PDB file of all heavy atoms in Angstrom:
ATOM      1  N   SER A  44    -191.003 -39.142 -92.525  1.00 94.00           N
ATOM      2  CA  SER A  44    -190.482 -38.583 -91.271  1.00 94.00           C
ATOM      3  C   SER A  44    -189.041 -39.021 -91.023  1.00 94.00           C
ATOM      4  O   SER A  44    -188.236 -38.247 -90.505  1.00 94.00           O
ATOM      5  CB  SER A  44    -191.380 -38.949 -90.091  1.00 94.00           C
ATOM      6  OG  SER A  44    -191.386 -40.342 -89.886  1.00 94.00           O
ATOM      7  N   HIS A  45    -188.706 -40.243 -91.403  1.00 93.00           N
ATOM      8  CA  HIS A  45    -187.320 -40.717 -91.293  1.00 93.00           C
ATOM      9  C   HIS A  45    -186.415 -39.877 -92.198  1.00 93.00           C
ATOM     10  O   HIS A  45    -185.315 -39.466 -91.799  1.00 93.00           O
ATOM     11  CB  HIS A  45    -187.250 -42.199 -91.677  1.00 93.00           C
ATOM     12  CG  HIS A  45    -185.882 -42.784 -91.632  1.00 93.00           C
ATOM     13  ND1 HIS A  45    -185.448 -43.682 -92.561  1.00 93.00           N
ATOM     14  CD2 HIS A  45    -184.844 -42.590 -90.783  1.00 93.00           C
ATOM     15  CE1 HIS A  45    -184.194 -44.018 -92.295  1.00 93.00           C
ATOM     16  NE2 HIS A  45    -183.819 -43.367 -91.219  1.00 93.00           N
ATOM     17  N   PHE A  46    -186.883 -39.593 -93.400  1.00 94.00           N
ATOM     18  CA  PHE A  46    -186.124 -38.763 -94.337  1.00 94.00           C
ATOM     19  C   PHE A  46    -185.891 -37.369 -93.753  1.00 94.00           C
ATOM     20  O   PHE A  46    -184.763 -36.860 -93.765  1.00 94.00           O
ATOM     21  CB  PHE A  46    -186.873 -38.680 -95.667  1.00 94.00           C
ATOM     22  CG  PHE A  46    -186.387 -37.600 -96.589  1.00 94.00           C
ATOM     23  CD1 PHE A  46    -185.073 -37.588 -97.026  1.00 94.00           C
ATOM     24  CD2 PHE A  46    -187.232 -36.602 -97.026  1.00 94.00           C
ATOM     25  CE1 PHE A  46    -184.621 -36.596 -97.888  1.00 94.00           C
ATOM     26  CE2 PHE A  46    -186.797 -35.617 -97.881  1.00 94.00           C
ATOM     27  CZ  PHE A  46    -185.486 -35.611 -98.312  1.00 94.00           C
ATOM     28  N   ILE A  47    -186.930 -36.743 -93.232  1.00 94.00           N
ATOM     29  CA  ILE A  47    -186.801 -35.392 -92.683  1.00 94.00           C
ATOM     30  C   ILE A  47    -185.862 -35.374 -91.485  1.00 94.00           C
ATOM     31  O   ILE A  47    -185.021 -34.486 -91.342  1.00 94.00           O
ATOM     32  CB  ILE A  47    -188.193 -34.824 -92.321  1.00 94.00           C
ATOM     33  CG1 ILE A  47    -189.007 -34.619 -93.604  1.00 94.00           C
ATOM     34  CG2 ILE A  47    -188.076 -33.521 -91.542  1.00 94.00           C
ATOM     35  CD1 ILE A  47    -190.459 -34.281 -93.377  1.00 94.00           C
ATOM     36  N   ARG A  48    -185.959 -36.370 -90.618  1.00 94.00           N
ATOM     37  CA  ARG A  48    -185.086 -36.463 -89.446  1.00 94.00           C
ATOM     38  C   ARG A  48    -183.615 -36.595 -89.860  1.00 94.00           C
ATOM     39  O   ARG A  48    -182.739 -35.911 -89.331  1.00 94.00           O
ATOM     40  CB  ARG A  48    -185.532 -37.659 -88.605  1.00 94.00           C
ATOM     41  CG  ARG A  48    -185.302 -37.525 -87.153  1.00 94.00           C
ATOM     42  CD  ARG A  48    -185.931 -38.625 -86.299  1.00 94.00           C
ATOM     43  NE  ARG A  48    -186.060 -39.936 -86.928  1.00 94.00           N
ATOM     44  CZ  ARG A  48    -187.207 -40.478 -87.335  1.00 94.00           C
ATOM     45  NH1 ARG A  48    -188.343 -39.825 -87.191  1.00 94.00           N
ATOM     46  NH2 ARG A  48    -187.239 -41.677 -87.879  1.00 94.00           N
ATOM     47  N   GLU A  49    -183.339 -37.489 -90.811  1.00 94.00           N
ATOM     48  CA  GLU A  49    -181.964 -37.674 -91.294  1.00 94.00           C
ATOM     49  C   GLU A  49    -181.456 -36.417 -91.985  1.00 94.00           C
ATOM     50  O   GLU A  49    -180.305 -36.028 -91.812  1.00 94.00           O
ATOM     51  CB  GLU A  49    -181.904 -38.847 -92.282  1.00 94.00           C
ATOM     52  CG  GLU A  49    -181.940 -40.197 -91.637  1.00 94.00           C
ATOM     53  CD  GLU A  49    -180.616 -40.559 -90.997  1.00 94.00           C
ATOM     54  OE1 GLU A  49    -179.568 -40.408 -91.643  1.00 94.00           O
ATOM     55  OE2 GLU A  49    -180.649 -40.989 -89.842  1.00 94.00           O
ATOM     56  N   PHE A  50    -182.305 -35.787 -92.778  1.00 93.00           N
ATOM     57  CA  PHE A  50    -181.930 -34.577 -93.493  1.00 93.00           C
ATOM     58  C   PHE A  50    -181.540 -33.482 -92.508  1.00 93.00           C
ATOM     59  O   PHE A  50    -180.528 -32.800 -92.689  1.00 93.00           O
ATOM     60  CB  PHE A  50    -183.100 -34.121 -94.371  1.00 93.00           C
ATOM     61  CG  PHE A  50    -182.719 -33.168 -95.460  1.00 93.00           C
ATOM     62  CD1 PHE A  50    -182.465 -33.629 -96.728  1.00 93.00           C
ATOM     63  CD2 PHE A  50    -182.631 -31.804 -95.218  1.00 93.00           C
ATOM     64  CE1 PHE A  50    -182.119 -32.755 -97.746  1.00 93.00           C
ATOM     65  CE2 PHE A  50    -182.280 -30.928 -96.213  1.00 93.00           C
ATOM     66  CZ  PHE A  50    -182.022 -31.397 -97.490  1.00 93.00           C
ATOM     67  N   ARG A  51    -182.331 -33.321 -91.448  1.00 94.00           N
ATOM     68  CA  ARG A  51    -182.040 -32.308 -90.434  1.00 94.00           C
ATOM     69  C   ARG A  51    -180.749 -32.627 -89.685  1.00 94.00           C
ATOM     70  O   ARG A  51    -179.962 -31.735 -89.384  1.00 94.00           O
ATOM     71  CB  ARG A  51    -183.199 -32.192 -89.446  1.00 94.00           C
ATOM     72  CG  ARG A  51    -183.044 -31.017 -88.513  1.00 94.00           C
ATOM     73  CD  ARG A  51    -184.194 -30.860 -87.561  1.00 94.00           C
ATOM     74  NE  ARG A  51    -185.466 -31.048 -88.244  1.00 94.00           N
ATOM     75  CZ  ARG A  51    -186.556 -31.516 -87.666  1.00 94.00           C
ATOM     76  NH1 ARG A  51    -186.548 -31.834 -86.406  1.00 94.00           N
ATOM     77  NH2 ARG A  51    -187.667 -31.675 -88.342  1.00 94.00           N
ATOM     78  N   THR A  52    -180.509 -33.899 -89.416  1.00 94.00           N
ATOM     79  CA  THR A  52    -179.288 -34.300 -88.730  1.00 94.00           C
ATOM     80  C   THR A  52    -178.049 -33.985 -89.567  1.00 94.00           C
ATOM     81  O   THR A  52    -177.052 -33.491 -89.051  1.00 94.00           O
ATOM     82  CB  THR A  52    -179.321 -35.814 -88.414  1.00 94.00           C
ATOM     83  OG1 THR A  52    -180.444 -36.084 -87.581  1.00 94.00           O
ATOM     84  CG2 THR A  52    -178.056 -36.268 -87.731  1.00 94.00           C
ATOM     85  N   LEU A  53    -178.125 -34.257 -90.858  1.00 91.00           N
ATOM     86  CA  LEU A  53    -176.959 -34.098 -91.717  1.00 91.00           C
ATOM     87  C   LEU A  53    -176.755 -32.672 -92.226  1.00 91.00           C
ATOM     88  O   LEU A  53    -175.624 -32.281 -92.508  1.00 91.00           O
ATOM     89  CB  LEU A  53    -177.037 -35.067 -92.898  1.00 91.00           C
ATOM     90  CG  LEU A  53    -176.932 -36.542 -92.514  1.00 91.00           C
ATOM     91  CD1 LEU A  53    -177.224 -37.438 -93.706  1.00 91.00           C
ATOM     92  CD2 LEU A  53    -175.562 -36.856 -91.956  1.00 91.00           C
ATOM     93  N   SER A  54    -177.837 -31.885 -92.357  1.00 90.00           N
ATOM     94  CA  SER A  54    -177.685 -30.545 -92.908  1.00 90.00           C
ATOM     95  C   SER A  54    -177.972 -29.427 -91.917  1.00 90.00           C
ATOM     96  O   SER A  54    -177.550 -28.297 -92.133  1.00 90.00           O
ATOM     97  CB  SER A  54    -178.614 -30.370 -94.114  1.00 90.00           C
ATOM     98  OG  SER A  54    -179.955 -30.287 -93.701  1.00 90.00           O
ATOM     99  N   GLY A  55    -178.731 -29.725 -90.876  1.00 91.00           N
ATOM    100  CA  GLY A  55    -179.134 -28.681 -89.943  1.00 91.00           C
ATOM    101  C   GLY A  55    -180.442 -28.005 -90.335  1.00 91.00           C
ATOM    102  O   GLY A  55    -180.911 -27.116 -89.637  1.00 91.00           O
ATOM    103  N   TYR A  56    -181.007 -28.394 -91.469  1.00 90.00           N
ATOM    104  CA  TYR A  56    -182.248 -27.821 -91.967  1.00 90.00           C
ATOM    105  C   TYR A  56    -183.215 -28.936 -92.340  1.00 90.00           C
ATOM    106  O   TYR A  56    -182.799 -30.037 -92.658  1.00 90.00           O
ATOM    107  CB  TYR A  56    -182.001 -26.977 -93.230  1.00 90.00           C
ATOM    108  CG  TYR A  56    -181.121 -25.788 -93.016  1.00 90.00           C
ATOM    109  CD1 TYR A  56    -179.769 -25.847 -93.305  1.00 90.00           C
ATOM    110  CD2 TYR A  56    -181.641 -24.602 -92.530  1.00 90.00           C
ATOM    111  CE1 TYR A  56    -178.952 -24.753 -93.119  1.00 90.00           C
ATOM    112  CE2 TYR A  56    -180.834 -23.498 -92.340  1.00 90.00           C
ATOM    113  CZ  TYR A  56    -179.484 -23.577 -92.636  1.00 90.00           C
ATOM    114  OH  TYR A  56    -178.689 -22.499 -92.445  1.00 90.00           O
ATOM    115  N   THR A  57    -184.503 -28.602 -92.368  1.00 92.00           N
ATOM    116  CA  THR A  57    -185.462 -29.531 -92.949  1.00 92.00           C
ATOM    117  C   THR A  57    -185.404 -29.357 -94.467  1.00 92.00           C
ATOM    118  O   THR A  57    -184.931 -28.322 -94.952  1.00 92.00           O
ATOM    119  CB  THR A  57    -186.891 -29.240 -92.448  1.00 92.00           C
ATOM    120  OG1 THR A  57    -187.279 -27.954 -92.908  1.00 92.00           O
ATOM    121  CG2 THR A  57    -186.987 -29.339 -90.939  1.00 92.00           C
ATOM    122  N   PRO A  58    -185.875 -30.327 -95.232  1.00 89.00           N
ATOM    123  CA  PRO A  58    -185.823 -30.189 -96.688  1.00 89.00           C
ATOM    124  C   PRO A  58    -186.546 -28.941 -97.208  1.00 89.00           C
ATOM    125  O   PRO A  58    -186.037 -28.253 -98.093  1.00 89.00           O
ATOM    126  CB  PRO A  58    -186.501 -31.464 -97.191  1.00 89.00           C
ATOM    127  CG  PRO A  58    -186.338 -32.445 -96.102  1.00 89.00           C
ATOM    128  CD  PRO A  58    -186.366 -31.652 -94.843  1.00 89.00           C
ATOM    129  N   LEU A  59    -187.722 -28.638 -96.655  1.00 87.00           N
ATOM    130  CA  LEU A  59    -188.464 -27.469 -97.131  1.00 87.00           C
ATOM    131  C   LEU A  59    -187.766 -26.165 -96.768  1.00 87.00           C
ATOM    132  O   LEU A  59    -187.728 -25.231 -97.571  1.00 87.00           O
ATOM    133  CB  LEU A  59    -189.888 -27.485 -96.583  1.00 87.00           C
ATOM    134  CG  LEU A  59    -190.781 -28.595 -97.116  1.00 87.00           C
ATOM    135  CD1 LEU A  59    -192.167 -28.511 -96.487  1.00 87.00           C
ATOM    136  CD2 LEU A  59    -190.873 -28.540 -98.624  1.00 87.00           C
ATOM    137  N   SER A  60    -187.193 -26.076 -95.567  1.00 89.00           N
ATOM    138  CA  SER A  60    -186.500 -24.838 -95.196  1.00 89.00           C
ATOM    139  C   SER A  60    -185.233 -24.660 -96.023  1.00 89.00           C
ATOM    140  O   SER A  60    -184.869 -23.536 -96.364  1.00 89.00           O
ATOM    141  CB  SER A  60    -186.190 -24.812 -93.697  1.00 89.00           C
ATOM    142  OG  SER A  60    -185.280 -25.827 -93.357  1.00 89.00           O
ATOM    143  N   LEU A  61    -184.570 -25.737 -96.382  1.00 85.00           N
ATOM    144  CA  LEU A  61    -183.381 -25.624 -97.227  1.00 85.00           C
ATOM    145  C   LEU A  61    -183.770 -25.148 -98.625  1.00 85.00           C
ATOM    146  O   LEU A  61    -183.069 -24.333 -99.222  1.00 85.00           O
ATOM    147  CB  LEU A  61    -182.648 -26.958 -97.308  1.00 85.00           C
ATOM    148  CG  LEU A  61    -181.293 -26.908 -98.014  1.00 85.00           C
ATOM    149  CD1 LEU A  61    -180.302 -26.071 -97.213  1.00 85.00           C
ATOM    150  CD2 LEU A  61    -180.745 -28.301 -98.220  1.00 85.00           C
ATOM    151  N   ARG A  62    -184.898 -25.615 -99.143  1.00 80.00           N
ATOM    152  CA  ARG A  62    -185.385 -25.144-100.448  1.00 80.00           C
ATOM    153  C   ARG A  62    -185.640 -23.644-100.433  1.00 80.00           C
ATOM    154  O   ARG A  62    -185.423 -22.956-101.417  1.00 80.00           O
ATOM    155  CB  ARG A  62    -186.681 -25.848-100.834  1.00 80.00           C
ATOM    156  CG  ARG A  62    -186.515 -27.189-101.445  1.00 80.00           C
ATOM    157  CD  ARG A  62    -187.863 -27.702-101.883  1.00 80.00           C
ATOM    158  NE  ARG A  62    -187.767 -29.029-102.459  1.00 80.00           N
ATOM    159  CZ  ARG A  62    -188.801 -29.747-102.838  1.00 80.00           C
ATOM    160  NH1 ARG A  62    -190.016 -29.287-102.714  1.00 80.00           N
ATOM    161  NH2 ARG A  62    -188.623 -30.941-103.355  1.00 80.00           N
ATOM    162  N   GLU A  63    -186.129 -23.131 -99.298  1.00 81.00           N
ATOM    163  CA  GLU A  63    -186.466 -21.711 -99.206  1.00 81.00           C
ATOM    164  C   GLU A  63    -185.250 -20.813 -99.095  1.00 81.00           C
ATOM    165  O   GLU A  63    -185.250 -19.712 -99.628  1.00 81.00           O
ATOM    166  CB  GLU A  63    -187.384 -21.471 -98.009  1.00 81.00           C
ATOM    167  CG  GLU A  63    -188.758 -22.081 -98.155  1.00 81.00           C
ATOM    168  CD  GLU A  63    -189.585 -21.964 -96.891  1.00 81.00           C
ATOM    169  OE1 GLU A  63    -189.081 -21.400 -95.886  1.00 81.00           O
ATOM    170  OE2 GLU A  63    -190.722 -22.446 -96.888  1.00 81.00           O
ATOM    171  N   ILE A  64    -184.205 -21.253 -98.400  1.00 83.00           N
ATOM    172  CA  ILE A  64    -183.067 -20.373 -98.145  1.00 83.00           C
ATOM    173  C   ILE A  64    -181.880 -20.591 -99.073  1.00 83.00           C
ATOM    174  O   ILE A  64    -180.982 -19.774 -99.122  1.00 83.00           O
ATOM    175  CB  ILE A  64    -182.575 -20.504 -96.692  1.00 83.00           C
ATOM    176  CG1 ILE A  64    -182.026 -21.895 -96.430  1.00 83.00           C
ATOM    177  CG2 ILE A  64    -183.645 -20.133 -95.713  1.00 83.00           C
ATOM    178  CD1 ILE A  64    -181.230 -21.998 -95.158  1.00 83.00           C
ATOM    179  N   CYS A  65    -181.883 -21.670 -99.820  1.00 76.00           N
ATOM    180  CA  CYS A  65    -180.696 -22.041-100.584  1.00 76.00           C
ATOM    181  C   CYS A  65    -181.019 -22.115-102.076  1.00 76.00           C
ATOM    182  O   CYS A  65    -182.005 -22.720-102.474  1.00 76.00           O
ATOM    183  CB  CYS A  65    -180.180 -23.391-100.093  1.00 76.00           C
ATOM    184  SG  CYS A  65    -178.614 -23.862-100.818  1.00 76.00           S
ATOM    185  N   GLU A  66    -180.154 -21.507-102.879  1.00 68.00           N
ATOM    186  CA  GLU A  66    -180.292 -21.635-104.323  1.00 68.00           C
ATOM    187  C   GLU A  66    -179.787 -23.001-104.754  1.00 68.00           C
ATOM    188  O   GLU A  66    -178.996 -23.624-104.041  1.00 68.00           O
ATOM    189  CB  GLU A  66    -179.470 -20.554-105.013  1.00 68.00           C
ATOM    190  CG  GLU A  66    -179.965 -19.160-104.734  1.00 68.00           C
ATOM    191  CD  GLU A  66    -179.138 -18.123-105.463  1.00 68.00           C
ATOM    192  OE1 GLU A  66    -178.424 -18.476-106.428  1.00 68.00           O
ATOM    193  OE2 GLU A  66    -179.215 -16.964-105.076  1.00 68.00           O
ATOM    194  N   PRO A  67    -180.204 -23.462-105.913  1.00 61.00           N
ATOM    195  CA  PRO A  67    -179.672 -24.743-106.396  1.00 61.00           C
ATOM    196  C   PRO A  67    -178.150 -24.694-106.475  1.00 61.00           C
ATOM    197  O   PRO A  67    -177.562 -23.680-106.807  1.00 61.00           O
ATOM    198  CB  PRO A  67    -180.292 -24.878-107.784  1.00 61.00           C
ATOM    199  CG  PRO A  67    -181.508 -24.040-107.740  1.00 61.00           C
ATOM    200  CD  PRO A  67    -181.193 -22.908-106.811  1.00 61.00           C
TER     201      PRO A  67
END
Side-chain angles (χ1 to χ4, degrees):
S44 64
H45 179 219
F46 166 59
I47 293 171
R48 210 171 30 252
E49 283 284 312
F50 198 96
R51 189 178 316 151
T52 300
L53 294 172
S54 72
Y56 297 97
T57 64
L59 292 180
S60 65
L61 188 66
R62 278 185 181 175
E63 292 173 0
I64 65 166
C65 187
E66 295 181 18

